[in-house]
Amino acid sequence: MIKMKLLVTGWLWYIGSHTVCELLNSWNQVFVVDNLSNCSIDVKDKIFQITWKQIDFQQVDLLNKIDLEKVFVWNQFDAVIHFAWLKSVWESMQKPFLYYENNLTWTLNLLDLMWKYWVKNMIFSSSATVYTDQNTFPVKEDWFLWAINPYWYSKLIVEQMLQWLAVTWAIRSIALRYFNPIWAHSSGLIGEKPNWIPNNLLPYIMDVAAWKREKISVFGWDYETVDWSWVRDYIHVVDLAKGHLDALKFLIDNSQSSFEAINLGTWNWTSVLQMIDYTSQIIWKKLNYEIVWRRAGDLPAVYCDPSKAKDLLWWSAELSVKQAIQDSYNFTLKNLI
Ligand code: UD1
């Protein structure tokens, strides 16, 4: 019944935990390594409550190549799904070396051991941020790539490393470029719960919904949308997680494929004011907001053309933004403290 044995790095960081659920539900065997620097081991039990299946887990920092090698010595993996990443734009500007050291060295150690132990397939958790500075939308995969901070740049560097490893047939890979994930499982057991002031829009809206903060700051009011507020391509994390399964299947079934970068988004955009309005409707509460100046480094519009994912992986998003907001709110209510 077991289909594949997979190594997942950084599972507890939101998308990883949802992807692990989907992998287990399709009878794959999952081994997770995480340094637990930014998350709690409780998620392991929650994943068990959702799937009734166990994972192998080891607390390993990917900087520690000796410990990481032990994992490869004792397990023969079919593929690696690499999520482990530091991901704050602001922090990456303050501590660029930390970002390069972690994000790049983590990945290099992993790739080197994959090469040594003959693990040929990788799914890389990339991001729409590799498309910085685009003015035309929706974004397609072959568009110009650029990055304006160390966090985004580290994603771009790894994508390019993977491309060259594929050219030499060392490691075959798919970089999944996520648009704006909304993190919450319909069970309400796992989701996004920042320990600090939320950076991203929906977690902030949820804090206001849960009376933790008074009002939402709407960044920017100068883009030609229905209401002048900025737009993003929000995608439910469960759809995103399923995209990893489809990508894995594609990689394993198509041995001639070497490297692909694939957008995971919905082709739809939603404005900031629409997000606030949808949430107000769902929770039956009017949410306060104020318009403020744009955030440094922010883009007015980001949304994608995901037709490559449909053509190649037979994947497309199924859950709506309203469903994602509803699931996020359920998660917020279940995790108030
Ligand atoms: C942000 C990060 C990006 C990361 C992505 C997903 C920045 C500059 N970019 O992108 O690196 O990969 O999240 O995690 O941090 N907004 C408000 N008020 C808020 C928060 C956000 O109006 O309090 C607006 C933003 O201007 C944007 C939209 O809401 O138009 C979505 O913002 P956010 O959720 O932070 O995602 P991104 O800016 O797309």
mmCIF file of all heavy atoms in Angstrom, residues 221-249:
data_model
loop_
_atom_site.group_PDB
_atom_site.id
_atom_site.type_symbol
_atom_site.label_atom_id
_atom_site.label_comp_id
_atom_site.label_asym_id
_atom_site.label_seq_id
_atom_site.Cartn_x
_atom_site.Cartn_y
_atom_site.Cartn_z
ATOM 1 N N TRP A 221 -3.698 52.696 -1.698
ATOM 2 C CA TRP A 221 -5.060 53.027 -2.144
ATOM 3 C C TRP A 221 -4.978 53.608 -3.547
ATOM 4 O O TRP A 221 -5.653 54.540 -3.902
ATOM 5 C CB TRP A 221 -5.635 54.062 -1.155
ATOM 6 C CG TRP A 221 -7.050 54.423 -1.351
ATOM 7 C CD1 TRP A 221 -7.546 55.545 -1.956
ATOM 8 C CD2 TRP A 221 -8.191 53.693 -0.934
ATOM 9 N NE1 TRP A 221 -8.901 55.532 -1.935
ATOM 10 C CE2 TRP A 221 -9.334 54.409 -1.309
ATOM 11 C CE3 TRP A 221 -8.357 52.475 -0.249
ATOM 12 C CZ2 TRP A 221 -10.620 53.963 -1.056
ATOM 13 C CZ3 TRP A 221 -9.636 52.044 0.010
ATOM 14 C CH2 TRP A 221 -10.753 52.781 -0.392
ATOM 15 N N ASP A 222 -4.061 53.080 -4.317
ATOM 16 C CA ASP A 222 -3.768 53.764 -5.568
ATOM 17 C C ASP A 222 -3.617 52.775 -6.714
ATOM 18 O O ASP A 222 -2.791 52.943 -7.590
ATOM 19 C CB ASP A 222 -2.474 54.574 -5.414
ATOM 20 C CG ASP A 222 -1.351 53.729 -4.853
ATOM 21 O OD1 ASP A 222 -1.596 52.552 -4.558
ATOM 22 O OD2 ASP A 222 -0.233 54.245 -4.715
ATOM 23 N N TYR A 223 -4.371 51.721 -6.697
ATOM 24 C CA TYR A 223 -4.266 50.767 -7.793
ATOM 25 C C TYR A 223 -5.638 50.620 -8.437
ATOM 26 O O TYR A 223 -6.648 50.583 -7.741
ATOM 27 C CB TYR A 223 -3.770 49.406 -7.280
ATOM 28 C CG TYR A 223 -3.456 48.463 -8.406
ATOM 29 C CD1 TYR A 223 -2.353 48.681 -9.230
ATOM 30 C CD2 TYR A 223 -4.263 47.360 -8.661
ATOM 31 C CE1 TYR A 223 -2.067 47.833 -10.278
ATOM 32 C CE2 TYR A 223 -3.979 46.501 -9.714
ATOM 33 C CZ TYR A 223 -2.879 46.749 -10.514
ATOM 34 O OH TYR A 223 -2.601 45.907 -11.559
ATOM 35 N N GLU A 224 -5.663 50.542 -9.751
ATOM 36 C CA GLU A 224 -6.955 50.525 -10.444
ATOM 37 C C GLU A 224 -7.677 49.203 -10.305
ATOM 38 O O GLU A 224 -7.683 48.367 -11.193
ATOM 39 C CB GLU A 224 -6.725 50.825 -11.919
ATOM 40 C CG GLU A 224 -6.777 52.299 -12.196
ATOM 41 C CD GLU A 224 -6.705 52.578 -13.682
ATOM 42 O OE1 GLU A 224 -7.526 52.028 -14.427
ATOM 43 O OE2 GLU A 224 -5.806 53.340 -14.073
ATOM 44 N N THR A 225 -8.262 48.975 -9.143
ATOM 45 C CA THR A 225 -9.082 47.772 -8.954
ATOM 46 C C THR A 225 -10.497 48.246 -8.679
ATOM 47 O O THR A 225 -10.774 49.450 -8.710
ATOM 48 C CB THR A 225 -8.594 46.957 -7.750
ATOM 49 O OG1 THR A 225 -8.658 47.796 -6.601
ATOM 50 C CG2 THR A 225 -7.191 46.454 -7.951
ATOM 51 N N VAL A 226 -11.370 47.320 -8.376
ATOM 52 C CA VAL A 226 -12.755 47.704 -8.078
ATOM 53 C C VAL A 226 -12.843 48.757 -7.000
ATOM 54 O O VAL A 226 -13.700 49.626 -7.020
ATOM 55 C CB VAL A 226 -13.575 46.458 -7.632
ATOM 56 C CG1 VAL A 226 -14.155 45.751 -8.816
ATOM 57 C CG2 VAL A 226 -12.770 45.533 -6.748
ATOM 58 N N ASP A 227 -11.954 48.709 -6.028
ATOM 59 C CA ASP A 227 -12.059 49.624 -4.882
ATOM 60 C C ASP A 227 -10.739 50.352 -4.600
ATOM 61 O O ASP A 227 -10.581 50.921 -3.533
ATOM 62 C CB ASP A 227 -12.504 48.836 -3.651
ATOM 63 C CG ASP A 227 -11.621 47.614 -3.415
ATOM 64 O OD1 ASP A 227 -10.427 47.681 -3.746
ATOM 65 O OD2 ASP A 227 -12.120 46.609 -2.902
ATOM 66 N N TRP A 228 -9.790 50.308 -5.495
ATOM 67 C CA TRP A 228 -8.474 50.965 -5.388
ATOM 68 C C TRP A 228 -7.523 50.296 -4.407
ATOM 69 O O TRP A 228 -6.376 50.701 -4.293
ATOM 70 C CB TRP A 228 -8.610 52.464 -5.027
ATOM 71 C CG TRP A 228 -9.359 53.213 -6.060
ATOM 72 C CD1 TRP A 228 -10.693 53.504 -6.036
ATOM 73 C CD2 TRP A 228 -8.857 53.732 -7.293
ATOM 74 N NE1 TRP A 228 -11.066 54.165 -7.179
ATOM 75 C CE2 TRP A 228 -9.945 54.327 -7.978
ATOM 76 C CE3 TRP A 228 -7.597 53.754 -7.892
ATOM 77 C CZ2 TRP A 228 -9.811 54.927 -9.214
ATOM 78 C CZ3 TRP A 228 -7.455 54.365 -9.124
ATOM 79 C CH2 TRP A 228 -8.560 54.945 -9.761
ATOM 80 N N SER A 229 -7.970 49.301 -3.673
ATOM 81 C CA SER A 229 -7.000 48.640 -2.780
ATOM 82 C C SER A 229 -6.274 47.555 -3.571
ATOM 83 O O SER A 229 -6.673 47.197 -4.670
ATOM 84 C CB SER A 229 -7.679 48.089 -1.533
ATOM 85 O OG SER A 229 -8.530 47.020 -1.853
ATOM 86 N N TRP A 230 -5.190 47.016 -2.992
ATOM 87 C CA TRP A 230 -4.277 46.159 -3.754
ATOM 88 C C TRP A 230 -4.781 44.736 -3.852
ATOM 89 O O TRP A 230 -5.575 44.302 -3.023
ATOM 90 C CB TRP A 230 -2.898 46.217 -3.115
ATOM 91 C CG TRP A 230 -2.280 47.571 -3.298
ATOM 92 C CD1 TRP A 230 -2.860 48.646 -3.903
ATOM 93 C CD2 TRP A 230 -1.001 47.975 -2.883
ATOM 94 N NE1 TRP A 230 -2.004 49.704 -3.901
ATOM 95 C CE2 TRP A 230 -0.851 49.317 -3.279
ATOM 96 C CE3 TRP A 230 0.051 47.354 -2.224
ATOM 97 C CZ2 TRP A 230 0.306 50.037 -3.025
ATOM 98 C CZ3 TRP A 230 1.201 48.058 -1.976
ATOM 99 C CH2 TRP A 230 1.326 49.391 -2.371
ATOM 100 N N VAL A 231 -4.263 44.034 -4.851
ATOM 101 C CA VAL A 231 -4.826 42.703 -5.109
ATOM 102 C C VAL A 231 -3.761 41.603 -5.065
ATOM 103 O O VAL A 231 -2.596 41.828 -5.385
ATOM 104 C CB VAL A 231 -5.565 42.655 -6.468
ATOM 105 C CG1 VAL A 231 -6.710 43.646 -6.495
ATOM 106 C CG2 VAL A 231 -4.621 42.893 -7.635
ATOM 107 N N ARG A 232 -4.213 40.425 -4.628
ATOM 108 C CA ARG A 232 -3.364 39.238 -4.584
ATOM 109 C C ARG A 232 -4.163 38.025 -5.031
ATOM 110 O O ARG A 232 -5.403 38.032 -5.007
ATOM 111 C CB ARG A 232 -2.883 38.968 -3.143
ATOM 112 C CG ARG A 232 -1.919 39.989 -2.581
ATOM 113 C CD ARG A 232 -0.571 39.910 -3.270
ATOM 114 N NE ARG A 232 0.418 40.782 -2.658
ATOM 115 C CZ ARG A 232 0.617 42.060 -3.006
ATOM 116 N NH1 ARG A 232 -0.109 42.629 -3.928
ATOM 117 N NH2 ARG A 232 1.566 42.765 -2.408
ATOM 118 N N ASP A 233 -3.405 36.964 -5.357
ATOM 119 C CA ASP A 233 -3.986 35.694 -5.766
ATOM 120 C C ASP A 233 -3.920 34.766 -4.543
ATOM 121 O O ASP A 233 -2.924 34.084 -4.310
ATOM 122 C CB ASP A 233 -3.109 35.166 -6.925
ATOM 123 C CG ASP A 233 -3.671 33.930 -7.580
ATOM 124 O OD1 ASP A 233 -4.495 33.251 -6.961
ATOM 125 O OD2 ASP A 233 -3.250 33.652 -8.717
ATOM 126 N N TYR A 234 -4.968 34.787 -3.718
ATOM 127 C CA TYR A 234 -4.962 34.008 -2.473
ATOM 128 C C TYR A 234 -5.352 32.562 -2.777
ATOM 129 O O TYR A 234 -6.306 32.313 -3.513
ATOM 130 C CB TYR A 234 -5.949 34.604 -1.463
ATOM 131 C CG TYR A 234 -5.561 35.997 -1.044
ATOM 132 C CD1 TYR A 234 -6.125 37.116 -1.663
ATOM 133 C CD2 TYR A 234 -4.605 36.210 -0.055
ATOM 134 C CE1 TYR A 234 -5.752 38.403 -1.304
ATOM 135 C CE2 TYR A 234 -4.226 37.501 0.308
ATOM 136 C CZ TYR A 234 -4.806 38.587 -0.318
ATOM 137 O OH TYR A 234 -4.428 39.849 0.042
ATOM 138 N N ILE A 235 -4.608 31.641 -2.160
ATOM 139 C CA ILE A 235 -4.867 30.227 -2.433
ATOM 140 C C ILE A 235 -4.948 29.439 -1.118
ATOM 141 O O ILE A 235 -4.138 29.649 -0.212
ATOM 142 C CB ILE A 235 -3.791 29.661 -3.400
ATOM 143 C CG1 ILE A 235 -3.927 28.158 -3.533
ATOM 144 C CG2 ILE A 235 -2.387 30.009 -3.008
ATOM 145 C CD1 ILE A 235 -3.116 27.587 -4.674
ATOM 146 N N HIS A 236 -5.957 28.588 -1.030
ATOM 147 C CA HIS A 236 -6.146 27.777 0.182
ATOM 148 C C HIS A 236 -4.981 26.802 0.314
ATOM 149 O O HIS A 236 -4.605 26.130 -0.650
ATOM 150 C CB HIS A 236 -7.464 27.002 0.056
ATOM 151 C CG HIS A 236 -7.946 26.442 1.360
ATOM 152 N ND1 HIS A 236 -7.227 25.510 2.081
ATOM 153 C CD2 HIS A 236 -9.077 26.664 2.069
ATOM 154 C CE1 HIS A 236 -7.910 25.193 3.179
ATOM 155 N NE2 HIS A 236 -9.029 25.887 3.197
ATOM 156 N N VAL A 237 -4.443 26.683 1.521
ATOM 157 C CA VAL A 237 -3.245 25.862 1.716
ATOM 158 C C VAL A 237 -3.490 24.387 1.391
ATOM 159 O O VAL A 237 -2.563 23.669 0.990
ATOM 160 C CB VAL A 237 -2.696 26.047 3.153
ATOM 161 C CG1 VAL A 237 -3.616 25.435 4.182
ATOM 162 C CG2 VAL A 237 -1.298 25.513 3.287
ATOM 163 N N VAL A 238 -4.721 23.930 1.508
ATOM 164 C CA VAL A 238 -4.990 22.518 1.186
ATOM 165 C C VAL A 238 -4.861 22.294 -0.320
ATOM 166 O O VAL A 238 -4.308 21.279 -0.767
ATOM 167 C CB VAL A 238 -6.361 22.080 1.746
ATOM 168 C CG1 VAL A 238 -6.731 20.688 1.259
ATOM 169 C CG2 VAL A 238 -6.337 22.119 3.270
ATOM 170 N N ASP A 239 -5.315 23.256 -1.117
ATOM 171 C CA ASP A 239 -5.090 23.176 -2.565
ATOM 172 C C ASP A 239 -3.586 23.171 -2.860
ATOM 173 O O ASP A 239 -3.104 22.401 -3.697
ATOM 174 C CB ASP A 239 -5.714 24.390 -3.271
ATOM 175 C CG ASP A 239 -7.192 24.180 -3.575
ATOM 176 O OD1 ASP A 239 -7.621 23.016 -3.700
ATOM 177 O OD2 ASP A 239 -7.923 25.187 -3.670
ATOM 178 N N LEU A 240 -2.893 24.050 -2.162
ATOM 179 C CA LEU A 240 -1.446 24.158 -2.365
ATOM 180 C C LEU A 240 -0.759 22.835 -2.011
ATOM 181 O O LEU A 240 0.093 22.334 -2.751
ATOM 182 C CB LEU A 240 -0.929 25.262 -1.440
ATOM 183 C CG LEU A 240 0.369 25.921 -1.771
ATOM 184 C CD1 LEU A 240 0.257 26.666 -3.084
ATOM 185 C CD2 LEU A 240 0.736 26.907 -0.673
ATOM 186 N N ALA A 241 -1.167 22.258 -0.895
ATOM 187 C CA ALA A 241 -0.578 20.989 -0.440
ATOM 188 C C ALA A 241 -0.810 19.900 -1.489
ATOM 189 O O ALA A 241 0.099 19.125 -1.814
ATOM 190 C CB ALA A 241 -1.187 20.587 0.902
ATOM 191 N N LYS A 242 -2.009 19.864 -2.055
ATOM 192 C CA LYS A 242 -2.304 18.851 -3.076
ATOM 193 C C LYS A 242 -1.425 19.047 -4.312
ATOM 194 O O LYS A 242 -1.066 18.090 -4.981
ATOM 195 C CB LYS A 242 -3.781 18.912 -3.471
ATOM 196 C CG LYS A 242 -4.662 18.376 -2.354
ATOM 197 C CD LYS A 242 -6.120 18.376 -2.739
ATOM 198 C CE LYS A 242 -6.927 17.760 -1.603
ATOM 199 N NZ LYS A 242 -8.330 18.129 -1.636
ATOM 200 N N GLY A 243 -1.077 20.286 -4.589
ATOM 201 C CA GLY A 243 -0.184 20.569 -5.717
ATOM 202 C C GLY A 243 1.165 19.863 -5.556
ATOM 203 O O GLY A 243 1.779 19.444 -6.537
ATOM 204 N N HIS A 244 1.624 19.695 -4.308
ATOM 205 C CA HIS A 244 2.901 19.003 -4.078
ATOM 206 C C HIS A 244 2.791 17.531 -4.452
ATOM 207 O O HIS A 244 3.718 16.936 -4.991
ATOM 208 C CB HIS A 244 3.324 19.141 -2.615
ATOM 209 C CG HIS A 244 3.677 20.537 -2.254
ATOM 210 N ND1 HIS A 244 2.738 21.517 -2.100
ATOM 211 C CD2 HIS A 244 4.880 21.136 -2.067
ATOM 212 C CE1 HIS A 244 3.342 22.657 -1.819
ATOM 213 N NE2 HIS A 244 4.635 22.456 -1.798
ATOM 214 N N LEU A 245 1.651 16.946 -4.157
ATOM 215 C CA LEU A 245 1.444 15.535 -4.504
ATOM 216 C C LEU A 245 1.444 15.358 -6.012
ATOM 217 O O LEU A 245 2.069 14.439 -6.544
ATOM 218 C CB LEU A 245 0.086 15.073 -3.952
ATOM 219 C CG LEU A 245 0.169 14.150 -2.763
ATOM 220 C CD1 LEU A 245 0.551 14.958 -1.547
ATOM 221 C CD2 LEU A 245 -1.146 13.458 -2.540
ATOM 222 N N ASP A 246 0.740 16.257 -6.690
ATOM 223 C CA ASP A 246 0.672 16.153 -8.149
ATOM 224 C C ASP A 246 2.047 16.388 -8.773
ATOM 225 O O ASP A 246 2.404 15.751 -9.762
ATOM 226 C CB ASP A 246 -0.359 17.152 -8.701
ATOM 227 C CG ASP A 246 -1.768 16.792 -8.246
ATOM 228 O OD1 ASP A 246 -2.023 15.604 -7.984
ATOM 229 O OD2 ASP A 246 -2.615 17.692 -8.126
ATOM 230 N N ALA A 247 2.798 17.308 -8.168
ATOM 231 C CA ALA A 247 4.145 17.576 -8.689
ATOM 232 C C ALA A 247 5.040 16.348 -8.494
ATOM 233 O O ALA A 247 5.810 15.978 -9.382
ATOM 234 C CB ALA A 247 4.740 18.789 -7.986
ATOM 235 N N LEU A 248 4.934 15.716 -7.343
ATOM 236 C CA LEU A 248 5.721 14.502 -7.070
ATOM 237 C C LEU A 248 5.406 13.413 -8.073
ATOM 238 O O LEU A 248 6.294 12.756 -8.613
ATOM 239 C CB LEU A 248 5.333 13.958 -5.694
ATOM 240 C CG LEU A 248 6.235 14.267 -4.526
ATOM 241 C CD1 LEU A 248 5.630 13.721 -3.268
ATOM 242 C CD2 LEU A 248 7.627 13.688 -4.750
ATOM 243 N N LYS A 249 4.118 13.242 -8.304
ATOM 244 C CA LYS A 249 3.674 12.203 -9.230
ATOM 245 C C LYS A 249 4.256 12.483 -10.626
ATOM 246 O O LYS A 249 4.781 11.590 -11.276
ATOM 247 C CB LYS A 249 2.138 12.201 -9.260
ATOM 248 C CG LYS A 249 1.564 11.008 -9.945
ATOM 249 C CD LYS A 249 0.057 10.955 -9.708
ATOM 250 C CE LYS A 249 -0.610 9.829 -10.481
ATOM 251 N NZ LYS A 249 -0.137 9.602 -11.813
#
